[in-house]
Amino acid sequence: MAGAVAPKRQDTRKFFENLSGAGKSIAVLTSGGDAQGMNAAVRAVVRMGIYVGAKVYFIHEGYQGMVDGGDNIKEATWESVSSMLQVGGTVIGSARCKEFRSHEGRLKAAHNLVQRSITNLCVIGGDGSLTGANLFREEWSGLLDELVQQGLIDKEAACSNSELHIVGMVGSIDNDFCGTDMTIGTDSALHRIIEVVDAIMTTAQSHQRTFVLEVMGRHCGYLALVSALACGADWVFIPEMPPEDGWEDSMCQKLSENRADKKRLNIIIVAEGAIDCHNKAVTPDYIKDLVVRCLGFDTRVTILGHVQRGGTPSAFDRILASRMGVEAVLALLEASATTPACVVSLVGNQAVRLPLMECVQMTQEVQKAMDEKKFEEAVRLRGRSFENNLTTYRLLSYRNADSELPNSSFNVAVLNVGAPAAGMNAAVRSAVRVGITEGHKMFAVSDGFEGFYKGHIKEIKWGDVGGWTGQGGSLLGTKRTLPGKHLEKIAEQIKIHNINALLVIGGFEAFESLLQLYEARADYEELCIPMCMLPATISNNVAGTDLSIGADTSINAIVETCDRIKQSASGTKRRVFIIETMGGYCGYLATVGGLAAGADTVYIYEEPFDIRDLQANVEHLTQKMKTSIQRGIVLRNENSNENFTTDFIYQLYTEEGRGVFDCRKNILGHMQQGGAPSPFDRNFGTKIAAKAIQWITRTLKESYKGGRVFANSEDTACLLGMRRRALVFQPVSQLRDETDFVHRIPKEQWWLKLRPLMKILAKYKTSYDVSDSGQLEHVTRVRPKETNTSAAI
């Protein structure tokens, strides 16, 4: 389902056609606090369940509905989950239920399920909801015995419903559940926070203000920590990292230093559960009074509250929830009496299944560690993602007097190459600040390699990159010029400015540029320096990485537009929209955007199609439109086929759909490239740039001999990419063989495995290879030390 793997021979594949749901009943419920993306998960469970031939039921109002029964438990149809993908909260309702905590309540719930032969339960909620589900499963056979004794069910019913299978998905905006990098709703909550911070920044700059923002997170500081990283906050307070004694003076000193550096605003982010080292709550009002008293700054407090839970889910949450929903149904179909209740989670870019109670126990251990003031242990138990965010935050917030910084005497240059991508500026800021912290002198190159050979290179300081994380495009300037024709001048500029290492941030042109520089090392000794590339392109078409900086922002732009387009037709007659996306020959934007927007069909270059396919798609959509479904969305990647253009497809659908639906077309164009970067892109850019600079520092030390830097081995010209579960440094010379240079795409693309998923959710019959779906694993407690070449994201 995720991750790049070597192609499997036909005979080793395991297709889910062998996993039939016939005769099975699956019920889905949402419980506990609501989270954006829950509806996408419900939709995926219902459609995948119906697809495999199972009966699927909604349980309205969570466990309360299960206890009350009656109309709260309703059979779901394909159409009943239409148009819910973009809706926040949970359409089937959620409620806290005291009754289910009692034995009597669970007995009623069991009776209601047995009456409908429901023995497969998909629970979307937090750790409390999942723990309740596990207890229910453990008591199941005893509950059935009681129901038989009371004459409420017969022995035959007890026998045919003897096993209860449970699969959980974690829906929680706090991201406080161990075993998964992201819970459903977290990314959307970050979107709400960052929208507010971006809006506050403009008003704060007008008046030279300090803003103290309280975000949710009573027991977990994830939202506060990542939003602080994503907006470049001056200070953050989280439960897992209580400030030392005397923090008040340190914070005030940092705020006044930033003001002295001509920074017009200060942002302080506080998690609602923040404490100091004496377990005393750190409140926004206390911080405000402190800043006013000590510094006299105009200070305001903003408490975001339930705004963070609301609004439409982000593209990331829709895709995550859809992948998890499909995976949950597969897990239920494969469950046996001996398999434990499991939770479907995400590690890096891969779906995994983990025993539910192992995750719950580890989540409880975090709280225990915090109660015992073992904060480092709590951070470690939170997992790799949390740990990495905290490490990056500490790296970037190190800002003592310059005299205290190490001095490496190395010069490192940073440049952007290719088309602009949202998140590039966050990566540059992170690289510059981490570089300065490591003691290097950092140089900024304007306008890519064109600026490089013309000598547009100047030193860039800590304060020069302030406020860069939220800016779209490329503030350094970027061009598509490749270095090949200007190698002599580039080598000369490296010599003039004594540049010892190079960080290139960009897309396919950046990859080609690094290859050209690597290949020219034999002719130009000046190019024998460590070089690292960070993939930043909305098309996500660079070999060696599952994800690129900028792609998430672009997918969100596509999804928002599709939502608006669908809404524009509400109340009119049935309508189909033909929408063209960017991406060159790479169908990533169209496919993943289509999955997140609920597209009916997506045309891409990687999956050739002919007139018969087009005809079949039109007929399929016509059949759907004869039911209660009113909207259709067809996405087409710009270079998917030179003859079947967007105009051609629009005219074909218009003609063939006459009398059933009418058509509109929309070419999204450069709107997909602009806009403020999403929280994911800001955070991803920040983290991988920090990792790259640390790699550059190590490589510089290793290649410094005889008073100079000399690096000519292939592992000193690398691309840092995310592969399945880890960030990996890969020599660009090795990635050459994995690349189709004519069409500017990788030869193997992991996201093609999402296409059958998208088709299933759009009611197409298709083959779905489940050999790469999540396998049951165990929660790892002690992790091996990271190697130099790979690191957790």
Side-chain angles (χ1 to χ4, degrees):
M1 214 179 88
V5 290
K8 295 184 174 67
R9 289 193 306 277
Q10 188 67 30
D11 56 335
T12 63
R13 286 195 187 175
K14 184 173 75 168
F15 290 99
F16 81 0
E17 280 79 339
N18 312 329
L19 294 171
S20 169
K24 294 188 178 181
S25 293
I26 299 170
V28 58
L29 73 142
T30 52
S31 173
D34 63 310
Q36 308 97 317
M38 279 183 164
N39 290 323
V42 170
R43 171 181 176 268
V45 170
V46 169
R47 291 197 166 173
M48 186 66 171
I50 291 170
Y51 184 88
V52 296
K55 264 189 176 184
V56 188
Y57 290 87
F58 292 134
I59 299 180
H60 291 274
E61 311 308 332
Y63 286 119
Q64 191 65 56
M66 201 194 291
V67 171
D68 294 343
D71 284 346
N72 288 307
I73 304 175
K74 275 189 186 150
E75 191 173 346
T77 64
W78 187 273
E79 289 80 20
S80 60
V81 291
S82 180
S83 302
M84 69 195 280
L85 194 59
Q86 64 268 34
V87 181
T90 165
V91 168
I92 59 174
S94 180
R96 310 274 179 198
C97 178
K98 272 189 184 169
E99 215 177 333
F100 189 75
R101 291 180 189 169
S102 71
H103 184 77
E104 273 308 302
R106 293 194 289 277
L107 192 65
K108 282 186 194 171
H111 186 214
N112 288 326
L113 294 188
V114 172
Q115 282 179 316
R116 295 164 180 82
S117 301
I118 297 169
T119 53
N120 295 282
L121 214 50
C122 187
V123 181
I124 307 162
D127 60 341
S129 307
L130 298 178
T131 308
N134 193 62
L135 175 65
F136 190 43
R137 179 180 188 257
E138 284 171 357
E139 290 182 351
W140 184 254
S141 61
L143 294 170
L144 293 191
D145 289 344
E146 275 184 66
L147 291 170
V148 170
Q149 282 165 16
Q150 292 176 18
L152 292 169
I153 62 170
D154 56 31
K155 280 188 177 169
E156 200 180 316
C159 195
S160 59
N161 295 286
S162 60
E163 287 172 21
L164 178 69
H165 302 299
I166 282 172
V167 173
M169 284 183 266
V170 191
S172 161
I173 66 164
D174 292 335
N175 203 26
D176 57 354
F177 193 81
C178 292
T180 185
D181 285 354
M182 285 293 262
T183 56
I184 295 166
T186 306
D187 187 67
S188 301
L190 285 170
H191 272 258
R192 296 300 93 77
I193 295 167
I194 294 305
E195 281 160 18
V196 171
V197 174
D198 285 354
I200 277 174
M201 278 182 160
T202 53
T203 176
Q205 278 178 325
S206 308
H207 298 278
Q208 286 205 8
R209 278 193 178 137
T210 297
F211 266 89
V212 184
L213 260 83
E214 183 186 274
V215 301
M216 281 184 163
R218 199 168 304 130
H219 306 295
C220 178
Y222 186 89
L223 288 179
L225 177 60
V226 174
S227 52
L229 264 179
C231 71
D234 298 85
W235 206 270
V236 68
F237 293 92
I238 59 171
E240 296 86 350
M241 186 180 67
E244 300 291 329
D245 281 335
W247 64 266
E248 290 95 339
D249 294 338
S250 307
M251 186 184 79
C252 289
Q253 186 189 339
K254 184 171 179 184
L255 295 179
S256 63
E257 274 176 15
N258 283 349
R259 266 309 151 90
D261 278 350
K262 301 202 167 46
K263 189 175 177 187
R264 293 181 61 86
L265 80 152
N266 303 108
I267 299 274
I268 299 162
I269 293 181
V270 192
E272 60 182 339
I275 47 168
D276 66 14
C277 55
H278 303 292
N279 237 21
K280 190 168 151 257
V282 177
T283 65
D285 287 329
Y286 177 75
I287 296 165
K288 177 195 169 181
D289 295 343
L290 175 74
V291 174
V292 171
R293 189 175 72 249
C294 297
L295 300 173
F297 289 175
D298 184 3
T299 307
R300 298 282 191 276
V301 169
T302 299
I303 294 171
L304 296 188
H306 281 71
V307 164
Q308 296 155 86
R309 279 196 191 283
T312 186
S314 66
F316 184 96
D317 272 330
R318 298 182 197 195
I319 295 155
L320 173 70
S322 299
R323 285 171 74 177
M324 282 185 169
V326 167
E327 187 67 41
V329 172
L330 292 177
L332 284 171
L333 294 183
E334 290 174 3
S336 69
T338 53
T339 44
C342 77
V343 62
V344 178
S345 68
L346 182 83
V347 178
N349 187 33
Q350 200 179 4
V352 296
R353 299 175 196 170
L354 297 166
L356 192 150
M357 286 320 289
E358 281 186 27
C359 297
V360 168
Q361 278 155 9
M362 200 152 165
T363 305
Q364 289 164 350
E365 275 179 43
V366 174
Q367 196 52 52
K368 191 172 165 229
M370 283 168 61
D371 292 342
E372 293 170 2
K373 297 193 175 181
K374 296 178 182 168
F375 295 106
E376 282 188 17
E377 171 76 358
V379 168
R380 193 180 63 76
L381 288 167
R382 280 255 182 258
R384 304 186 309 172
S385 175
F386 191 95
E387 223 173 338
N388 242 19
N389 282 312
L390 192 53
T391 307
T392 310
Y393 178 79
R394 282 175 172 151
L395 264 178
L396 289 166
S397 60
Y398 179 89
R399 183 67 174 119
N400 294 340
D402 286 346
S403 57
E404 290 180 33
L405 289 171
N407 189 354
S408 74
S409 75
F410 291 125
N411 295 343
V412 179
V414 183
L415 69 158
N416 293 157
V417 177
M424 274 182 165
N425 298 320
V428 172
R429 169 188 174 270
S430 174
V432 167
R433 291 194 168 176
V434 173
I436 290 168
T437 304
E438 302 257 304
H440 310 317
K441 202 182 253 191
M442 300 301 292
F443 286 84
V445 182
S446 302
D447 298 330
F449 282 105
E450 192 171 306
F452 205 130
Y453 79 80
K454 289 177 179 173
H456 299 163
I457 304 166
K458 64 176 197 296
E459 191 181 347
I460 186 164
K461 298 272 183 55
W462 186 279
D464 297 337
V465 290
W468 278 33
T469 48
Q471 303 283 327
S474 163
L475 292 170
L476 285 184
T478 181
K479 291 268 169 74
R480 292 180 183 268
T481 312
L482 297 177
K485 294 177 182 170
H486 314 283
L487 289 167
E488 200 169 320
K489 287 180 180 174
I490 287 168
E492 195 182 311
Q493 290 297 336
I494 289 174
K495 201 170 187 175
I496 291 168
H497 293 92
N498 188 25
I499 288 165
N500 308 114
L502 207 54
L503 180 66
V504 182
I505 303 166
F508 203 85
E509 286 92 353
F511 173 61
E512 288 182 295
S513 299
L514 216 56
L515 262 177
Q516 290 180 358
L517 295 178
Y518 167 73
E519 286 163 359
R521 277 175 168 178
D523 302 321
Y524 300 96
E525 212 175 75
E526 293 85 351
L527 300 176
C528 295
I529 56 174
M531 296 186 270
C532 185
M533 176 202 158
L534 301 181
T537 161
I538 68 164
S539 304
N540 197 27
N541 62 333
V542 180
T545 189
D546 289 359
L547 302 168
S548 301
I549 300 166
D552 183 72
T553 306
S554 191
I555 287 166
N556 274 291
I558 292 168
V559 168
E560 280 167 32
T561 309
C562 287
D563 286 354
R564 287 182 186 184
I565 285 172
K566 277 198 276 191
Q567 204 176 31
S568 74
S570 70
T572 63
K573 57 184 178 173
R574 287 178 168 75
R575 187 162 283 172
V576 172
F577 296 92
I578 316 292
I579 300 168
E580 181 182 295
T581 67
M582 288 172 91
Y585 285 96
C586 179
Y588 177 81
L589 285 182
T591 297
V592 180
L595 183 59
D600 295 273
T601 313
V602 175
Y603 298 112
I604 61 168
Y605 164 76
E606 291 91 342
E607 201 172 276
F609 56 97
D610 58 24
I611 194 71
R612 287 182 297 277
D613 297 316
L614 288 168
Q615 186 64 40
N617 295 151
V618 176
E619 283 169 16
H620 185 263
L621 203 48
T622 308
Q623 289 310 310
K624 265 205 253 185
M625 287 285 180
K626 286 176 180 169
T627 66
S628 60
I629 288 173
Q630 303 245 316
R631 305 282 155 270
I633 283 200
V634 175
L635 292 185
R636 179 188 173 274
N637 164 246
E638 57 185 354
N639 288 353
S640 54
N641 188 300
E642 59 182 333
N643 295 316
F644 300 135
T645 60
T646 303
D647 269 340
F648 178 90
I649 291 173
Y650 162 68
Q651 284 164 356
L652 178 75
Y653 273 75
T654 302
E655 183 57 39
E656 296 294 318
R658 203 179 293 281
V660 181
F661 58 80
D662 66 353
C663 272
R664 295 286 183 275
K665 73 170 175 186
N666 202 305
I667 293 171
L668 299 185
H670 281 75
M671 187 208 69
Q672 297 157 82
Q673 218 161 22
S678 68
F680 182 91
D681 279 331
R682 297 181 195 201
N683 192 19
F684 187 50
T686 299
K687 281 201 285 194
I688 67 170
K691 282 266 186 259
I693 292 292
Q694 289 175 314
W695 175 86
I696 282 172
T697 302
R698 279 198 306 271
T699 313
L700 279 167
K701 286 175 184 168
E702 287 163 11
S703 52
Y704 187 71
K705 292 178 186 77
R708 52 171 289 205
V709 172
F710 185 79
N712 69 344
S713 59
E714 66 172 10
D715 62 354
T716 57
C718 280
L719 177 145
L720 173 55
M722 186 183 168
R723 280 266 167 111
R724 289 172 82 106
R725 300 191 186 193
L727 286 171
V728 189
F729 290 94
Q730 302 146 100
V732 287
S733 55
Q734 290 177 13
L735 295 175
R736 188 199 288 115
D737 299 336
E738 295 181 26
T739 303
D740 169 355
F741 284 93
V742 176
H743 299 101
R744 298 160 61 90
I745 51 174
K747 289 176 184 172
E748 293 266 328
Q749 303 192 85
W750 71 271
W751 53 265
L752 286 168
K753 293 200 168 186
L754 296 179
R755 285 190 62 82
L757 199 102
M758 186 190 68
K759 290 175 185 174
I760 287 165
L761 296 177
K763 215 174 183 175
Y764 280 93
K765 286 283 176 204
T766 184
S767 281
Y768 184 43
D769 178 9
V770 295
S771 48
D772 197 38
S773 69
Q775 302 303 312
L776 191 65
E777 299 180 13
H778 291 282
V779 180
T780 47
R781 286 163 192 277
V782 183
R783 291 187 308 283
K785 280 229 162 39
E786 290 173 1
T787 63
N788 280 357
T789 55
S790 86
I793 181 166

